[in-house]
Amino acid sequence: MAEIGRMYIDGAWVPSASGATREIINPADQSVIGTVYEGDAADVDKAVAAARKAFDEPSSPWRALKAGERASLLFALADKLESEAKEFAHLEVLDSGKPLREAECDVSDACNCLRYYAGLATKPMGVTYEVPEDMQALTVREPIGVCAQIVPWNYPLLMAMWKLAPALAAGNTVVFKPAEITPLTTIKFFGLIEDVGFPKGVANLVLGAGATVGAAMSAHPGVDKIAFTGGTVTGKKILESSVGNLKRVSLELGGKSPNIVFADADFETAVDYALFAIFAGQGQICAAGSRLLLEKSIAPKFIDRLVERTKKIVVGPGLAEGTEMGPLVSERQMEKVLHYIDLGIKEGATLACGGHRMMEGDFAKGFFVEPTIFTDTTEDMSIVKDEIFGPVLAVQVFEDEADAIRMANNTRYGLAGACFTQDGAKALRVIKALRAGITWINGYHSTYNEAPWGGYKESGNGGRELGTYGLEEYTEVKQININTNVCPIGWFAN
Ligand code: NAD
């Protein structure tokens, strides 16, 4: 029998304190692909204690490491991950359902993320200030301390890297929790953390559900910062439970992003990207272009072409040759998506294609849902307002530029958005008017380790991941004032 996946706490692989376990399911056929220990608050306590010790003890080997040495560890991790890229990608497909080509991109992006932050660890971050007195004022950036990190299931390995790489590069210690249904690549990755020789207690892995383990992490008085990626409702809960010790909080949350296509756009390019924007990752991408805004004059022709191409998308198990779209990650997620499809029909939208769970032959074993497009939508419909997080596109039709901008911004979210047009000035006007943090002109979804990632409004709480912003999120700023004229100040006469 395969070993039960363990947690990694204080440099040791340990079972959960309670002994509880959880089966991990392949969403393509519901087979059990592994069993892992299921933690609770007691495991969080142990992990936080280990992280505290590794951060606080004056003799801690981690605190003694220079930035260049931390960078070397991260470079070594990237090399290791790269050398096992095939195995990681394969495991990610089994656990998350995503097509192999997507999992391969994720592993490659994860390596690049590690290398980016390894490089950044040694770059200057302080500032000097000219001040009125005989003082030299300057700032240094220091690690925050113990960082608790919680991620969702859509990019298990890559989201782990967006959190772990900057936190470790900046010299923090971490307690990390993957989504309970997709922990396998993260457990394997912690094996690499052990192999390259991070001191014990620096990086700790806890496994388990959000309501128990995640909640314990966000409320824990021993945690200095909580970094979270996931749903907006969960993000708000985390913010509430973090106030006890005024933790630093980073929240990367949901979206309902508009993809705006003007009549003068390059037609085939815009169709191609509209498909990519919503159906990549089975639509389970926070920045998905889940609302397609079409200028009225091209809408009928555009929808025809879109539907024609959508029907040709090859759906299948992630490891099958030629698969372009996989199953949804879990039965729960599939039920949520099917519920929204029902709502769309009930609220009066027209189902242009898709709309069903796929049940023929082997499809019935997995959580496959047809790529789905709704037209004739109105702005008050649930499928237009809510994040569905699945392969469901809501098409909206606009009259002119002002109408497009108004409609695009009519959402509580503000994560991403795009605009397709061959008029450069119009493109920039529209994108600047968009209340969203990540935008594309004549493109979609490209994401760079070098550039900041995060949303406006309810898509986050203002911070950014990736780029230099991502590193700064894991630092405190210290002001240092150096007196260059060392003599008594004479404030009190005697
Ligand atoms: P989720 O909020 O249900 O869960 C995310 C993580 O939070 C999981 O690890 C879960 O166990 C944990 N969690 C759940 N309840 C918790 C609680 N009360 N306290 C602490 N932790 C808790 O989200 P999900 O369904 O796993 O992921 C989908 C969501 O993630 C979507 O809304 C998507 O837009 C968002 N997302 C955002 C980004 C981004 O960068 N903005 C990236 C990926 C996904």
Side-chain angles (χ1 to χ4, degrees):
M1 198 178 122
E3 247 186 78
I4 301 174
R6 292 177 173 237
M7 308 192 211
Y8 187 68
I9 297 176
D10 206 14
W13 292 97
V14 294
S16 54
S18 70
T21 59
R22 171 191 293 268
E23 287 185 337
I24 303 301
I25 307 293
N26 178 347
D29 59 12
Q30 298 191 58
S31 59
V32 176
I33 49 171
T35 304
V36 302
Y37 280 103
E38 175 82 4
D40 59 25
D43 302 288
V44 173
D45 281 345
K46 280 189 206 156
V48 172
R52 276 257 67 96
K53 195 164 156 224
F55 189 80
D56 292 334
E57 281 208 344
S59 61
S60 158
W62 180 240
R63 297 308 302 278
L65 285 192
K66 300 282 179 271
E69 294 167 312
R70 294 198 301 272
S72 298
L73 285 170
L74 290 170
F75 278 125
L77 260 183
D79 291 347
K80 278 252 173 204
L81 180 58
E82 199 165 57
S83 72
E84 295 183 33
K86 268 203 166 79
E87 293 85 341
F88 272 92
H90 191 268
L91 192 58
E92 195 78 310
V93 173
L94 292 180
D95 202 353
S96 71
K98 61 177 64 192
L100 184 60
R101 64 177 179 175
E102 291 186 16
E104 285 171 346
C105 287
D106 291 0
V107 179
S108 162
D109 287 349
C111 293
N112 291 335
C113 181
L114 285 166
R115 291 193 175 114
Y116 175 78
Y117 282 109
L120 211 54
T122 56
K123 303 303 173 282
M125 283 202 290
V127 177
T128 59
Y129 298 90
E130 292 310 313
V131 291
E133 295 176 342
D134 290 337
M135 287 275 179
Q136 177 63 61
L138 56 94
T139 55
V140 291
R141 289 213 173 240
E142 298 181 340
I144 295 173
V146 173
C147 299
Q149 305 180 312
I150 301 175
V151 300
W153 40 257
N154 62 339
Y155 286 90
L157 183 71
L158 189 58
M159 288 297 107
M161 235 43 63
W162 286 19
K163 296 264 180 287
L164 292 167
L168 296 172
N172 299 280
T173 58
V174 302
V175 175
F176 184 87
K177 186 190 100 59
E180 53 273 38
I181 56 172
T182 54
L184 298 184
T185 48
T186 310
I187 296 174
K188 191 169 164 62
F189 182 75
F190 269 75
L192 306 188
I193 287 185
E194 181 184 37
D195 290 350
V196 302
F198 277 83
K200 66 178 193 171
V202 170
N204 303 278
L205 170 67
V206 288
L207 303 171
T212 48
V213 174
M217 289 164 79
S218 20
H220 205 294
V223 169
D224 301 304
K225 175 187 169 105
I226 180 116
F228 171 75
T229 298
T232 294
V233 172
T234 314
K236 288 177 184 176
K237 282 189 201 159
I238 287 176
L239 192 58
E240 276 173 19
S241 56
S242 70
V243 295
N245 65 338
L246 287 183
K247 289 179 182 58
R248 307 294 174 262
V249 184
S250 313
L251 302 174
E252 297 294 339
L253 309 176
K256 189 74 185 179
S257 300
N259 179 16
I260 308 168
V261 181
F262 286 97
D264 64 356
D266 183 284
F267 186 82
E268 285 301 331
T269 303
V271 170
D272 202 46
Y273 271 103
L275 292 171
F276 180 54
I278 181 62
F279 296 128
Q282 296 71 245
Q284 303 169 135
I285 299 182
C286 52
S290 51
R291 291 188 295 140
L292 176 64
L293 277 59
L294 296 177
E295 190 160 3
K296 197 172 183 179
S297 62
I298 56 158
K301 183 176 163 210
F302 201 97
I303 292 165
D304 282 352
R305 181 78 177 122
L306 199 64
V307 168
E308 181 193 341
R309 288 199 56 191
T310 299
K311 287 180 174 166
K312 292 183 185 156
I313 291 175
V314 181
V315 182
L319 290 176
E321 185 85 21
T323 289
E324 295 178 319
M325 219 184 92
L328 299 188
V329 74
S330 65
E331 184 163 19
R332 190 166 156 221
Q333 190 61 20
M334 179 184 71
E335 293 302 339
K336 180 183 166 196
V337 170
L338 293 173
H339 166 72
Y340 270 107
I341 291 174
D342 254 13
L343 266 182
I345 295 166
K346 282 192 187 120
E347 290 179 3
T350 303
L351 191 57
C353 68
H356 306 98
R357 179 177 180 185
M358 300 170 74
M359 293 298 283
E360 319 80 60
D362 282 350
F363 279 120
K365 292 188 201 158
F367 309 129
F368 296 92
V369 174
E370 293 168 338
T372 298
I373 299 177
F374 278 108
T375 55
D376 303 316
T377 65
T378 55
E379 287 174 79
D380 57 349
M381 288 180 179
S382 310
I383 54 165
V384 173
K385 288 193 301 193
D386 297 352
E387 183 186 48
I388 301 174
F389 222 53
V392 181
L393 179 66
V395 178
Q396 302 177 265
V397 176
F398 65 85
E399 298 284 343
D400 55 20
E401 185 180 324
D403 196 28
I405 292 167
R406 185 200 56 74
M407 209 177 254
N409 284 333
N410 185 14
T411 168
R412 63 180 178 278
Y413 294 112
L415 188 57
C419 163
F420 285 80
T421 169
Q422 298 194 55
D423 177 341
K426 179 161 69 178
L428 196 55
R429 273 197 311 271
V430 170
I431 287 297
K432 286 182 82 170
L434 212 57
R435 302 289 299 156
I438 306 148
T439 63
W440 299 275
I441 292 174
N442 294 321
Y444 212 98
H445 274 323
S446 46
T447 302
Y448 304 102
N449 289 307
E450 295 79 3
W453 179 273
Y456 289 17
K457 301 199 270 184
E458 291 192 35
S459 289
N461 65 340
R464 294 291 181 269
E465 294 199 284
L466 300 182
T468 51
Y469 293 80
L471 190 68
E472 287 169 5
E473 289 274 307
Y474 284 97
T475 64
E476 294 275 17
V477 179
K478 178 176 283 175
Q479 179 186 153
I480 301 177
N481 298 292
I482 306 165
N483 195 347
T484 60
N485 182 13
V486 183
C487 62
I489 189 170
W491 185 266
F492 297 104
N494 300 301

